[in-house]
Amino acid sequence: MHWSQMFIPTLREDPADAGAPSHRLLLRGGYMRQLMAGHYSLLPLAVRVRAKVIEIIRQEMNAIGAQEVLLPDMHPAEVWERSGRWEIMGEEMFRLTDRKGARLALAMTHEEIFAFLATELNSHKQLPQAWYQFQTKFRDEPRPRAGLIRTREFTMKDSYTFDLDRVGLDAAFDRHYAAYVRIFERLGIPAIPVEASSGTMGGSDSTEFMCPSPSGEDLVVYCPACHYAANIEKATSRLADVTDGPGLDTPERFDTPGVRTIEDLATGYDAPATRQIKTLVYVLDGQLTLVLMRGDHALNGQKLIDATGAASVRPAQPDEIREALGALPGSLGAVGVGGLPIIADRALEGRRDMVTGANVDDMHLRGVEVARDIAVGQWADLREVAAGEACPQCGEPLELIEAIEVGHIFKLGDRYSKVFGATVLGPDGKATPLIMGSYGIGVERAMAAIIERHHDERGIVWPVNVAPFTVVVTVAQSEDAEVAKAGAALYDQLAAAGFEVIIDDRAERAGVKFRDAELTGIPYRVTVGKRGLAEGMVELTERATGETRKVAPGEVAAQLGELTGKG
């Protein structure tokens, strides 16, 4: 390929609205252009990288016996209604109506469609099955951000396994887990497997693969000592023991004028946050619900969703709260409340001599014993883990790491197969629902994650496995016929040796060409110039280290072969 003939519109300055390194460098390096928020055109260099990412994933999927398919991106509403996710997906699902009035959706994911296809299976002798695809997904993200990290249109490798029983699912899950470890290693992404919430996917167990990065929007709770790792939506910690006093025979009211916060109550009324019951009011699927937390603990919203299975969750409005409880936030409590669901965090189990709101403005209760005074209907782990808390496995302090989710694998079980009647006859001749797994990798997000981990102040530093080209031949003086001829000869030599090579033959200053080579991140640059040729040499520069060596033109292919492992 000739740089002079390729469309590589590099920029000299960072775009004003690009913050994440991958966003900034993909735009500056001429890899992509934005059409509108969350939608990007991938240009020739990006298409080459994307193809390599896909090929690495494809090789590892094929290696575990998965078969590639391609399913439609436009789905009838009825399919999603059967699974119950037409409503659960909410506003993030793109919906449309065709000219005949049929309601349709653009694919957010494909569990329903794969389960529907699996109804073609009829015997346990056809199992196990593993199917995968590379297909576009659409999500109406309210706030697309960070370039390719969160978009509204993206490519997903999603695969699905079908087994007769849970033992088969466990084996399929383990095969995918191992394949994902290999994939991310080959892509140059240091992905950490972490415990995760299954969210709207459902199922029992799930593991996310997280790439540590300041540009990430997920938080991983991590223990450096024992390597416990979990998404903050799933993580737990070991709490320090708390000793309660004997308390009172019955709760006692006391005035708390002007108290609105946990801190107000703690500083003015001898009620440390560890002895307070914080009462939050949410509307879950239309039902006003009290959510109880220890005063110094924060609620994790996804844990609340997972614990209740609610499809719709929102904080209650002040007028709804006053109508139900007779007071406003700051004086709310659950003592004596009946007729409303009450869910409490496990940190409150067995607690006594606690303080909480009295459901009268500017009044609180002391001497509250949770089991005696509050009709808790459900106990669950609802609190968000904080940095420095004790690891649940070894007791050492936990850290919080910002990260990008680059992969997620789920054990779905029979949720979707039962809905769509995807059954096979087992060895006993009885119809058995297929046991499913679901496994995803975002292709363009993986590209962004690679850059987040492989860049410097001059630009992208692609690993060889995914670089658009392995080497660029930079002709320092294109106007000089002898230099141009030598550059073209070296280009032909490297291409014949099997290297993916591009020649920068533009009529530009050498400095411009060097900057673009560094910006676009091509792993190796061979500079062909007058001075070097006079000595019978060219310069071979490694992008990652900046190391330059003088090499005879006839030895460049051998040197590159040693450096890239292709020798």
Side-chain angles (χ1 to χ4, degrees), residues 10 18 53 152 184 188 214 261 294 332 337 361 372 397 419 480:
T10 58
V53 171
R152 306 204 309 166
F184 294 124
T261 67
R294 203 171 83 178
L332 301 180
V337 173
D361 288 336
R372 180 191 67 195
V419 167
D480 185 294

Side-chain angles (χ1 to χ4, degrees), residues 184-337:
F184 294 124
E185 181 177 344
R186 292 178 65 184
L187 293 178
I189 298 175
I192 303 172
V194 309
E195 298 176 18
S197 163
S198 296
T200 57
M201 303 287 281
S204 54
D205 299 326
S206 77
T207 298
E208 289 173 331
F209 291 80
M210 292 290 200
C211 172
S213 168
S215 298
E217 56 188 4
D218 284 282
L219 282 176
V220 171
V221 176
Y222 180 71
C223 177
C226 72
H227 306 299
Y228 166 79
N231 189 304
I232 199 164
E233 297 174 345
K234 185 77 171 181
T236 61
S237 64
R238 190 184 302 176
L239 290 178
D241 292 336
V242 178
T243 302
D244 294 328
L248 304 172
D249 291 339
T250 58
E252 176 182 280
R253 282 191 184 186
F254 62 104
D255 293 328
T256 52
V259 168
R260 294 291 179 269
T261 67
I262 298 296
E263 185 178 356
D264 290 343
L265 193 60
T267 56
Y269 295 89
D270 189 29
T274 56
R275 284 186 46 230
Q276 294 185 42
I277 302 172
K278 178 166 52 180
T279 304
L280 307 174
V281 187
Y282 278 79
V283 179
L284 308 181
D285 291 336
Q287 173 66 62
L288 206 72
T289 302
L290 304 190
V291 181
L292 308 185
M293 307 293 299
R294 203 171 83 178
D296 58 335
H297 290 161
L299 170 70
N300 183 281
Q302 186 61 50
K303 286 187 174 184
L304 178 61
I305 292 170
D306 291 346
T308 61
S312 172
V313 178
R314 66 171 176 84
Q317 297 299 312
D319 58 335
E320 295 174 308
I321 295 172
R322 183 175 286 282
E323 181 180 351
L325 298 176
L328 290 174
S331 300
L332 301 180
V335 173
V337 173

Side-chain angles (χ1 to χ4, degrees), residues 210-498:
M210 292 290 200
C211 172
S213 168
S215 298
E217 56 188 4
D218 284 282
L219 282 176
V220 171
V221 176
Y222 180 71
C223 177
C226 72
H227 306 299
Y228 166 79
N231 189 304
I232 199 164
E233 297 174 345
K234 185 77 171 181
T236 61
S237 64
R238 190 184 302 176
L239 290 178
D241 292 336
V242 178
T243 302
D244 294 328
L248 304 172
D249 291 339
T250 58
E252 176 182 280
R253 282 191 184 186
F254 62 104
D255 293 328
T256 52
V259 168
R260 294 291 179 269
T261 67
I262 298 296
E263 185 178 356
D264 290 343
L265 193 60
T267 56
Y269 295 89
D270 189 29
T274 56
R275 284 186 46 230
Q276 294 185 42
I277 302 172
K278 178 166 52 180
T279 304
L280 307 174
V281 187
Y282 278 79
V283 179
L284 308 181
D285 291 336
Q287 173 66 62
L288 206 72
T289 302
L290 304 190
V291 181
L292 308 185
M293 307 293 299
R294 203 171 83 178
D296 58 335
H297 290 161
L299 170 70
N300 183 281
Q302 186 61 50
K303 286 187 174 184
L304 178 61
I305 292 170
D306 291 346
T308 61
S312 172
V313 178
R314 66 171 176 84
Q317 297 299 312
D319 58 335
E320 295 174 308
I321 295 172
R322 183 175 286 282
E323 181 180 351
L325 298 176
L328 290 174
S331 300
L332 301 180
V335 173
V337 173
L340 293 177
I342 300 174
I343 179 171
D345 182 66
R346 296 197 182 279
L348 293 173
E349 279 189 291
R351 296 299 304 276
R352 62 181 185 274
D353 197 24
M354 301 290 283
V355 176
T356 190
N359 287 331
V360 177
D361 288 336
D362 297 326
M363 294 197 74
H364 282 73
L365 296 171
R366 61 166 62 96
V368 174
E369 186 172 329
V370 176
R372 180 191 67 195
D373 301 320
I374 300 176
V376 175
Q378 181 182 355
W379 293 95
D381 172 28
L382 302 174
R383 66 183 182 86
E384 188 163 286
V385 172
E389 292 179 353
C391 173
Q393 293 184 353
C394 73
E396 292 299 307
L398 292 167
E399 297 178 356
L400 294 185
I401 301 173
E402 294 173 306
I404 302 167
E405 179 194 327
V406 289
H408 202 162
I409 58 179
F410 304 83
K411 292 182 180 179
L412 297 176
D414 59 10
R415 170 181 175 179
Y416 296 94
S417 54
K418 280 186 174 180
V419 167
F420 292 99
T423 63
V424 295
L425 294 179
D428 58 1
K430 294 181 180 179
T432 303
L434 291 168
I435 306 299
M436 292 178 59
S438 174
Y439 318 84
I441 294 177
V443 173
E444 291 84 14
R445 184 180 285 189
M447 291 169 57
I450 295 167
I451 297 172
E452 293 294 328
R453 299 294 304 201
H454 299 275
H455 71 274
D456 59 21
E457 68 280 0
R458 297 186 300 278
I460 301 168
V461 185
W462 288 115
V464 173
N465 281 353
V466 294
F469 296 96
T470 302
V471 58
V472 52
V473 174
T474 301
V475 181
Q477 297 91 20
S478 297
E479 72 283 357
D480 185 294
E482 290 302 315
V483 175
K485 181 179 178 181
L490 184 55
Y491 168 75
D492 291 340
Q493 174 189 332
L494 293 176

Side-chain angles (χ1 to χ4, degrees), residues 503-514:
I503 183 170
D504 192 346
D505 54 348
R506 294 176 293 167
E508 292 280 3
R509 300 187 313 275
V512 171
K513 297 180 180 182
F514 294 158

